Amino acid sequence: MEDTVILKRFENVLSQPYGQGAQKRVVIGAADGAPTFVMRIFDVIPGGASSNHAHDFEHEVLILKGQATLKSDGPDRLVDEGTAIFIPANERHQLVNTGRDTLRFMCCVPLRGEDSPGISSGAGC
């Protein structure tokens, strides 16, 4: 039986500019044969932010390092390393790096979410 497990170091995946002072890496996605989800890693410089947007699908975020302010349709909330975030469909959201160090987070979206129309640079987090 052929081994279909994919192993990667996310640091070896090319990044692309995203949002304001952010970089996005598509770690696992359609190019890898993933049929359902896309895993991305974002790095955001201090004072930078992901795009402020909403989309018609849920997604999950895990803060890997740093701290940020989560802006959404509700009140602003501070989040930091180890915080898991569920963002429901159609909820406006943005992560603003309010810390002194680079903010790094992982974001998972449905496969169709990586190329959603109306969202610059693919679906954001």
Side-chain angles (χ1 to χ4, degrees), residues 44-99:
V44 184
I45 63 171
S50 65
S51 67
N52 186 355
H53 65 279
H55 38 68
D56 66 350
F57 52 84
E58 71 173 69
H59 66 104
E60 291 74 27
V61 174
L62 178 62
I63 306 298
L64 300 172
K65 72 175 191 173
Q67 62 185 42
T69 297
L70 171 63
K71 296 181 173 289
S72 67
D73 291 335
D76 289 356
R77 287 166 272 190
L78 294 176
V79 295
D80 61 5
E81 185 174 326
T83 302
I85 305 166
F86 172 77
I87 300 170
N90 302 309
E91 176 88 8
R92 183 151 293 283
H93 55 281
Q94 179 181 42
L95 283 167
V96 179
N97 184 347
T98 50

Side-chain angles (χ1 to χ4, degrees), residues 28-50:
I28 302 290
D32 301 297
T36 310
F37 298 105
V38 178
M39 178 188 295
R40 297 97 52 89
I41 301 288
F42 291 80
D43 286 313
V44 184
I45 63 171
S50 65

